[in-house]
Amino acid sequence: MPIVRTVAELRARVAAWREQGERIALVPTMGALHAGHISLVEAGRQRAERVVATVFVNPRQFGPNEDLDRYPRDEAGDAARLAAAGCDLLFAPGVEAIYPPGFATQVRVTGLSERLCGAARPGHFDGVATVVTKLLNQARADIALFGEKDWQQLAIIRRLALDLDIPTEIAGCPIVRDADGLALSSRNAYLDAGERERAVALPRALQTAAAAIGAGRPVDAVLAEAKAALVAAGFGPVDYITLSGADDLEPMTGLDRPARLLAAAWMGRTRLIDNVAVTGTGAY
Ligand code: PAF
């Protein structure tokens, strides 16, 4: 699998495939690839003849006290995993290829970016929106695939593609979980053995709460119980655990439209996020 580092090389490869009438799928990542990312490549292969993955640890989506420097990096391992999954091309640009000197533009999706993780990580989603807009414009793929684990990110990317008339279809793919239910994440590598064991309380609390809300129990009480369960399991602080509209991410107190239960909480020095769908009987 070839690796290219410039936008010109990326575009030349994509153009050659397009001339042959082939569809192109894009899988943007920050590397440290796990089975969740590979499921995106596999989904891309179902939807297009060619799959391009990108690996770029985007400095603009890390806050000043976040983990940019210690974010796991393993390009050779990532490339091997992508090749084994049938990926056709890896675009792994350096920072200067994405943000050349004089770069002065920022994409901000207002509203959606300020809630939930946006409240705890100011500027994070502006960095995500800016780099994803660039990657979509650079690759001009037919479809781009993102994991549903980053549900808020996915909602923001859908919005920006719509608002900026980007013709690439944005597709969400189901969360991939370890056998005990913990959602796969590159940041799970930061957990020590004890933290990793306790972290399973996050998907469990979400599943329990989703079932209770789906069965008609009052949302506030259920969320308070879920938060208490997380704290009892060793999480803290809990940045949020909330029932939100699946598309608008506005808080909900009842099931009047498609809903998502989302949470972010700290296990030691590691901030974990997760989310599940909530469905009720005849709710809407
Ligand atoms: O989800 C990620 O890995 C990143 O936020 C993304 C979408 C690749 C943008 O840097």
Side-chain angles (χ1 to χ4, degrees), residues 28-30 56 58 61 128 131-132 146 150 153 157:
T29 82
M30 295 208 302
F56 178 64
N58 174 33
Q61 67 187 79
V128 171
V131 81
V132 170
F146 299 87
D150 296 296
Q153 169 174 282
I157 292 168

